[in-house]
Amino acid sequence: MTATTTAAETVRPHTAPPAEDRPRRRLLPFSPWHLLLAPLAVIFALPLFWLLLSSVMTNAEINKFPPALWPSGIHLGGYRYVLGNAMFPRWFANSLIVSATAVVSNLVLGSLGGYAFARMRFAGSRSLLVLMLATTAVPFQLTMIPTFLVMKRLGLIDSLGALIVPSLVTPFAVFLLRQFFLSLPRELEEAAWIDGCSRLRVLFRIVLPLSRPALSTVAVLTFLTTWNDLTWPLIAINHDTQYTLQLGLTTFQGLHHTQWAAVMAGNVITVLPVLLAFLGAQKSFIQSITSSGLKG
């Protein structure tokens, strides 16, 4: 190519593409879906906003009718009442121990079970998977009495063990991880097997590092479920030294008088770890749902 040709091409005017090929300029700076989703987001955020406002109100403002829409000032009496309770750190630690143990055990046992159902074929594997999924349709109200009898036989009633053992692994964790493992290419595992890796080593060295979105989802949902659980601790725990945070907050409600500001402040403190956990794993949570949720 000569210099003359290059110069001619340089000065050649740029021809605009046909009108039908041009991308249409958006009239709105946002998607039309935002017009529907934004009001819904406000509606879903209202209870949390009301909880935050009520936590800095006085008991008189909370009990007022019609209710006050805005606090007269920032009153921290509820937070002082909650944080001044001698048992509150113990309840917080109990909830943290139960939730953290449930998260770790669901990740480990759920990964082993999910990988077995995704990659291994053995007699009755299909039936066992269907039976496991069928247990998710059984409401907790039907299983809490047999669970209580088993925990009593094991001598775990009125201890944190009664809260930890039933939540060591859930069918949902096994199923979600199985679905994600199915979406991973087998060629990666086959190459590792050729190199002499065992199946367990393939799982921990290759499969699990690629499954961080699904693992994050299982961790968040397990933490949220065990942290917010009130029914089972109410049945299995008798002494306040073994209370979880949710169960301990019920002691702020008396028969004749309730410290509503303390209840609201305690709920704000209780919700914070859940919000932080969800915000930290939000990207992985959405990625896992979109990539593995529907593959059978």
Side-chain angles (χ1 to χ4, degrees), residues 37-291:
L37 296 178
L40 289 177
V42 172
I43 292 173
F44 284 119
L46 275 179
L48 189 62
F49 187 63
W50 172 252
L51 174 67
L52 189 61
L53 287 180
S54 301
S55 68
V56 294
M57 289 182 181
T58 62
N59 284 321
E61 287 177 322
I62 297 175
N63 292 320
K64 184 180 177 182
F65 185 84
L69 299 179
W70 196 260
S72 59
I74 299 178
H75 305 281
L76 301 179
Y79 289 95
R80 282 194 290 269
Y81 185 90
V82 171
L83 298 177
N85 190 305
M87 297 303 297
F88 190 80
R90 181 67 177 268
W91 299 337
F92 193 94
N94 289 342
S95 289
L96 201 59
I97 292 172
V98 173
S99 301
T101 306
V103 168
V104 173
S105 63
N106 271 274
L107 291 179
V108 175
L109 300 178
S111 299
L112 294 173
Y115 186 73
F117 281 119
R119 294 296 193 234
M120 300 174 67
R121 293 291 176 265
F122 50 90
S125 61
R126 194 75 180 178
S127 301
L128 189 60
L129 176 63
V130 173
L131 182 63
M132 183 194 69
L133 293 178
T135 60
T136 60
V138 180
F140 173 71
Q141 288 78 6
L142 292 180
T143 61
M144 62 182 182
I145 293 179
T147 305
F148 179 84
L149 295 176
V150 171
M151 293 298 109
K152 184 178 179 181
R153 184 64 64 88
L154 294 176
L156 296 177
I157 290 299
D158 201 19
S159 70
L160 294 184
L163 308 181
I164 292 174
V165 171
S167 59
L168 284 177
V169 64
T170 61
F172 175 77
V174 176
F175 178 71
L176 181 65
L177 292 173
R178 171 190 178 269
Q179 298 301 98
F180 197 89
F181 294 157
L182 287 175
S183 66
L184 298 178
R186 282 178 175 269
E187 289 76 11
L188 293 175
E189 302 170 51
E190 292 171 354
W193 293 338
I194 294 174
D195 291 339
C197 288
S198 64
R199 193 178 287 273
L200 200 59
R201 192 173 182 184
V202 168
L203 172 63
F204 285 99
R205 292 294 184 89
I206 297 177
V207 176
L208 291 185
L210 296 174
S211 307
R212 289 177 182 173
L215 295 174
S216 300
T217 302
V218 171
V220 169
L221 294 180
T222 303
F223 181 81
L224 191 149
T225 302
T226 53
W227 184 270
N228 290 333
D229 189 19
L230 173 62
T231 306
W232 177 239
L234 190 63
I235 297 171
I237 302 298
N238 298 322
H239 292 90
D240 57 356
T241 56
Q242 303 298 321
Y243 280 4
T244 58
L245 201 52
Q246 299 291 344
L247 191 55
L249 290 179
T250 61
T251 62
F252 296 153
Q253 302 182 35
L255 181 61
H256 302 290
H257 180 69
T258 298
Q259 296 284 345
W260 285 114
V263 172
M264 297 300 178
N267 278 288
V268 170
I269 298 174
T270 305
V271 166
L272 282 179
V274 178
L275 285 179
L276 293 177
F278 180 77
L279 292 177
Q282 183 181 16
K283 184 177 179 182
S284 299
F285 181 82
I286 297 174
Q287 183 180 354
S288 172
I289 295 298
T290 55
S291 62

